[in-house]
Amino acid sequence: MPIKIDSKEAALKFIEDHDTFLFDCDGVLWRGNTPLTHSADTLKLLRSKGKQIVFVTNNSTKSRKQYVNKFTKLGIDAKADEIFGSAYSSAVYLDKMGTFDKENKKVLVIGESGLEEELHEAGFKTLGGADPALNRDFGPEVEKYAIRDESIGAVVCGLDLKINYLKIAYAQANLRDPRVTFLATNVDSTFPATDMILPGAGTVIKSVSFCSGREPDATLGKPSKAMMDCILEKFKLDPKRTVMVGDRLNTDMKFGANSGLDTLFVLTGVDKVEEANKFGVDPTYYADKLGDIFELLE
Amino acid sequence: MPIKIDSKEAALKFIEDHDTFLFDCDGVLWRGNTPLTHSADTLKLLRSKGKQIVFVTNNSTKSRKQYVNKFTKLGIDAKADEIFGSAYSSAVYLDKMGTFDKENKKVLVIGESGLEEELHEAGFKTLGGADPALNRDFGPEVEKYAIRDESIGAVVCGLDLKINYLKIAYAQANLRDPRVTFLATNVDSTFPATDMILPGAGTVIKSVSFCSGREPDATLGKPSKAMMDCILEKFKLDPKRTVMVGDRLNTDMKFGANSGLDTLFVLTGVDKVEEANKFGVDPTYYADKLGDIFELLE
């Protein structure tokens, strides 16, 4: 059973035992567009004690730069360098694979502008993404997209609110060539919006995957170990002094546990501490909310 | 090993042993928009001998009436009553389930006009389908579609060349209610078009299925037994005197074999007779092409 952080002593020890704090965002720092009580204050407290902070999000629609705006709007200090999203993670992964011919090959992006932006920053040339030429019905004049384009060396898929048949056909036609790398930013089945649940990135991945007869060569995003490896390497972290904070058992908690990190489970999301067994995870700590740490030490 | 129909005697016996001939269309009668040699003549020959003919197609985008036009264009006689498509099959199935409250509930159609038409003919009220209101980007003004509509009692999904995020969200929001029936017209991963392979109905089904966390309650279309049961019942057929003719081992041949029918495998599609073992099927007969029957008896 996880240790509950409900005393000043527990909160102090939690802070002392770790140098780096990885944070899931939605359900931990905010819900939808509402900041959660004292989350921002807890982050400030950690910073004042010289702790390192990294924000880890599966949202692939925004680049790190775009994500900073969201933090600012919600009154939370964050630098682009502290944010680790699945779009950035995909770009880093493709780069590290070392087999992609950046000079002569392009990446087909099925996803939004954030994903494109991260790939461009990493030096990749892209096709697809937010290109308005793809926002149209399938028909004779766009059939060319359903034919293999030899300039494409990888297909990277993420959440795309403008997904359509043409884009699926475009991805499929190129994925039929086994030499083309297939990356998925994440495979979340849904994501919570204000008052509703919406289809997640996994919806796009599953359709592309099914018609092309291929599974992604790698899936970034929590809980994948590929993403954690990218984080640990980029920030040169000691896993023993790092803790993952999140509200989801099967993504955040599994993500931390899979790499031997301590984990803090907060109850401001949909999951309950009693459900931990169901997902085969055992968080190190839990708290009613992240803001409790600030409140206990105030 | 299947018996090859390559002599007058074999062709005659094949005809004499059966009263009803079920035909797959693409790859048997035509390929793309080109009629296959003497296929139409073979159908005429069978008709002249008083044989019953049924056309069985997984194409859910056209209603039976719409499909007749395709036959006529390709010079083949066919009546709407002889055509059994997965759209029609879905309407019949939903009707036969007997649990759907036609008066007070509607069917959400994720698919094209043919599917809508068949549901209307069977007396269902529908939403979605070819409604142009759904052909738009997801955003605040269409968020209402991502919220459960209590008037919807079933979601029927098929191939939709205008599939988009809004439609997927619409289906998902309603499928989260376990009282809503979920039918798939068919789950073909792809379909062949002229010079290219395109994503099939299964692509739509898999995305809707993944984000709603549900598998279809029934999948119509070959090789599902649900479709064969509909056919056998509608035409009051004797399975022992019925033969299924097709070019695909894992759909057409499996479809016939699953219900104990004789099967004729024709080599005018992509599959080869040597591959039968791979799909665990053993056709009763095979022929280079359907037109051979006409040619052998000419």
Side-chain angles (χ1 to χ4, degrees):
Chain A
M1 264 300 287
I3 302 158
K4 185 161 191 185
I5 300 183
D6 56 1
S7 68
K8 186 171 177 175
E9 294 66 37
L12 272 176
K13 184 153 179 12
F14 171 74
I15 296 177
E16 278 164 14
D17 283 353
H18 304 99
D19 298 327
T20 306
F21 297 75
L22 310 183
F23 288 98
D24 173 47
C25 303
D26 205 350
V28 176
L29 307 180
W30 60 70
R31 282 192 77 164
N33 287 313
T34 313
L36 290 167
T37 312
H38 292 146
S39 279
D41 293 320
T42 300
L43 295 179
K44 269 185 208 155
L45 176 72
L46 292 172
R47 287 188 195 280
S48 75
K49 291 178 181 285
K51 303 295 182 180
Q52 183 174 24
I53 285 171
V54 179
F55 303 102
V56 187
T57 170
N58 273 5
N59 185 330
S60 70
T61 63
K62 291 186 173 69
S63 67
R64 290 161 300 157
K65 282 180 186 166
Q66 290 167 336
Y67 224 66
V68 167
N69 293 333
K70 170 131 196 174
F71 279 84
T72 308
K73 270 188 202 160
L74 294 171
I76 300 168
D77 288 330
K79 293 192 291 280
D81 254 4
E82 293 173 331
I83 298 168
F84 210 96
S86 65
Y88 174 63
S89 175
S90 301
V92 170
Y93 186 88
L94 190 58
D95 215 7
K96 289 236 168 104
M97 282 178 70
T99 51
F100 193 90
D101 177 2
K102 275 185 179 177
E103 274 312 299
N104 300 302
K105 293 285 182 184
K106 291 171 189 158
V107 179
L108 172 58
V109 176
I110 305 297
E112 305 209 358
S113 65
L115 182 51
E116 272 182 297
E117 199 175 300
E118 293 292 4
L119 287 160
H120 292 164
E121 287 229 352
F124 293 99
K125 294 174 198 135
T126 68
L127 290 170
D131 182 355
L134 297 178
N135 295 335
R136 55 195 295 188
D137 291 343
F138 190 75
E141 68 292 348
V142 288
E143 274 187 351
K144 62 178 177 186
Y145 291 110
I147 292 164
R148 168 81 177 117
D149 173 350
E150 290 288 341
S151 79
I152 292 172
V155 177
V156 182
C157 293
L159 181 63
D160 185 353
L161 296 197
K162 294 188 177 178
I163 190 69
N164 61 19
Y165 189 84
L166 175 57
K167 292 182 183 184
I168 296 168
Y170 196 4
Q172 181 244 187
N174 287 288
L175 286 174
R176 296 204 155 265
D177 184 338
R179 295 169 303 168
V180 173
T181 302
F182 181 16
L183 296 187
T185 59
N186 61 308
V187 286
D188 298 37
S189 60
T190 57
F191 68 93
T194 317
D195 302 329
M196 66 186 74
I197 293 172
L198 291 172
T203 305
V204 175
I205 317 300
K206 290 291 169 181
S207 64
V208 166
S209 187
F210 187 66
C211 60
S212 62
R214 286 182 62 173
E215 290 299 316
D217 297 313
T219 296
L220 287 304
K222 297 171 284 182
S224 97
K225 205 165 174 312
M227 193 183 199
M228 183 63 90
D229 290 344
C230 284
I231 295 173
L232 295 176
E233 193 182 315
K234 183 189 169 182
F235 298 102
K236 311 283 175 217
L237 303 181
D238 175 1
K240 293 201 181 89
R241 300 280 306 166
T242 304
V243 60
M244 172 70 208
V245 183
D247 69 317
R248 294 213 167 198
L249 293 161
N250 66 339
T251 52
D252 302 321
M253 295 301 100
K254 203 172 267 181
F255 180 62
N258 282 349
S259 292
L261 268 64
D262 281 350
T263 50
L264 166 61
F265 177 58
V266 293
L267 303 178
T268 39
V270 283
D271 291 345
K272 295 182 182 69
V273 72
E274 303 81 44
E275 297 171 314
N277 274 338
K278 199 172 86 183
F279 296 103
V281 289
D282 185 18
T284 325
Y285 312 93
Y286 78 105
D288 291 331
K289 64 175 188 295
L290 175 62
D292 284 359
I293 292 170
F294 171 81
E295 291 174 13
L296 290 164
L297 297 177
E298 206 179 6
Chain B
M1 263 301 285
I3 301 159
K4 184 159 191 186
I5 300 183
D6 55 3
S7 68
K8 188 172 175 174
E9 293 66 35
L12 271 177
K13 183 152 177 18
F14 171 73
I15 295 176
E16 277 163 14
D17 283 353
H18 305 99
D19 299 326
T20 306
F21 298 75
L22 309 182
F23 288 99
D24 173 46
C25 304
D26 205 350
V28 177
L29 309 179
W30 59 71
R31 282 191 77 166
N33 287 314
T34 312
L36 289 166
T37 312
H38 291 146
S39 279
D41 293 320
T42 300
L43 295 179
K44 270 187 208 155
L45 176 72
L46 292 171
R47 287 188 196 280
S48 74
K49 291 180 180 284
K51 304 296 183 180
Q52 182 174 24
I53 286 173
V54 179
F55 303 102
V56 186
T57 170
N58 273 6
N59 185 330
S60 71
T61 64
K62 291 186 173 70
S63 66
R64 289 161 301 156
K65 283 180 188 168
Q66 291 167 339
Y67 224 64
V68 167
N69 293 333
K70 170 133 197 174
F71 279 85
T72 308
K73 270 188 204 158
L74 294 170
I76 301 169
D77 288 331
K79 293 193 292 281
D81 254 4
E82 294 173 330
I83 299 169
F84 210 97
S86 64
Y88 175 63
S89 174
S90 301
V92 170
Y93 187 89
L94 190 58
D95 214 8
K96 289 236 169 104
M97 283 179 68
T99 52
F100 193 91
D101 177 1
K102 275 186 179 177
E103 274 311 300
N104 300 303
K105 294 284 183 183
K106 292 171 189 156
V107 178
L108 171 58
V109 176
I110 305 297
E112 305 208 358
S113 66
L115 182 51
E116 271 182 298
E117 200 175 300
E118 293 292 4
L119 286 160
H120 292 163
E121 287 229 351
F124 293 100
K125 294 174 197 133
T126 68
L127 290 170
D131 182 356
L134 298 178
N135 295 335
R136 53 195 295 187
D137 290 343
F138 190 75
E141 68 291 349
V142 287
E143 274 187 352
K144 62 178 177 186
Y145 292 110
I147 293 164
R148 169 80 177 117
D149 173 350
E150 290 287 341
S151 80
I152 292 173
V155 177
V156 181
C157 294
L159 180 64
D160 185 353
L161 297 196
K162 294 189 177 177
I163 189 68
N164 61 19
Y165 189 83
L166 176 57
K167 292 182 183 182
I168 297 168
Y170 196 4
Q172 181 244 187
N174 287 289
L175 287 174
R176 297 206 153 265
D177 184 337
R179 295 169 304 168
V180 173
T181 301
F182 180 15
L183 296 188
T185 60
N186 61 309
V187 287
D188 298 37
S189 60
T190 57
F191 69 93
T194 316
D195 301 330
M196 66 187 75
I197 292 173
L198 290 172
T203 305
V204 175
I205 317 300
K206 290 291 171 183
S207 64
V208 166
S209 186
F210 188 66
C211 60
S212 62
R214 286 182 63 174
E215 290 299 318
D217 297 313
T219 296
L220 286 305
K222 296 172 285 182
S224 97
K225 204 164 174 314
M227 194 183 198
M228 183 63 91
D229 291 344
C230 284
I231 295 173
L232 295 177
E233 193 182 315
K234 183 188 169 185
F235 298 102
K236 311 284 175 215
L237 302 181
D238 176 0
K240 292 201 180 88
R241 301 279 307 167
T242 304
V243 60
M244 172 70 208
V245 184
D247 69 316
R248 294 212 167 200
L249 292 161
N250 66 338
T251 52
D252 302 322
M253 295 300 101
K254 203 172 266 180
F255 181 61
N258 282 349
S259 292
L261 269 62
D262 280 351
T263 51
L264 166 60
F265 178 57
V266 294
L267 304 178
T268 39
V270 284
D271 291 346
K272 296 182 180 68
V273 72
E274 303 81 44
E275 297 171 314
N277 274 338
K278 199 171 87 183
F279 296 103
V281 289
D282 185 18
T284 325
Y285 313 92
Y286 77 107
D288 291 332
K289 63 176 188 298
L290 176 62
D292 284 358
I293 293 171
F294 171 80
E295 291 173 13
L296 290 164
L297 297 176
E298 208 179 1

